[in-house]
């Protein structure tokens, strides 16, 4: 009975307007420090691939993507890797032994 009331209440409520955050400009240069956190926006492109719709009559040019080792280079190694704490998985060594 409660589920029916909740479903009816949800159906009668107006939809809430969602606010999307304004896009932020990409920083000019990322720090190369290995202890820096991952970027907030993830590894997505800073700008869209196209600025608008394609115009008729223009033939698109396809360019092959670079290999993964160039597109996503591995981070530089740290001088020292401490033992991981509970819940930590990055920039540390797993505890070994039997």
């Amino acid at each position: 009975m409660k589920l029916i009331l909740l479903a009816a209440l949800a159906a009668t409520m107006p939809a809430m307007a969602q606010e999307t955050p304004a896009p932020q400009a990409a920083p000019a240069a990322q720090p190369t420090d290995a202890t820096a956190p991952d970027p907030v926006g993830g590894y997505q492109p800073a700008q869209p691939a196209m600025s608008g719709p394609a115009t008729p009559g223009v033939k698109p040019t396809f360019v092959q993507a670079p290999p993964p080792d160039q597109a996503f280079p591995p981070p530089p190694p740290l001088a020292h890797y401490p033992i991981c704490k509970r819940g930590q998985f990055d920039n540390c060594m797993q505890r070994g032994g039997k």
Side-chain angles (χ1 to χ4, degrees):
M1 189 67 170
K2 290 180 184 180
L3 292 176
I4 295 172
L5 290 175
L6 287 176
L9 182 64
T12 60
M13 293 183 67
M16 302 294 284
Q18 282 189 334
E19 293 182 21
T20 57
Q24 297 177 356
Q30 292 287 340
T32 56
D33 184 15
T35 60
D38 284 340
V40 175
Y43 294 106
Q44 62 190 7
Q47 297 176 345
M50 295 180 61
S51 60
T55 56
V58 176
K59 189 172 183 179
T61 305
F62 295 100
V63 180
Q64 184 175 0
D69 59 339
Q70 288 179 0
F72 301 102
L78 297 176
H80 173 68
Y81 289 91
I83 300 295
C84 294
K85 295 178 178 65
R86 183 177 297 236
Q88 181 185 9
F89 301 103
D90 294 334
N91 297 328
C92 62
M93 290 189 305
Q94 295 291 325
R95 201 175 291 256
K98 292 184 180 182

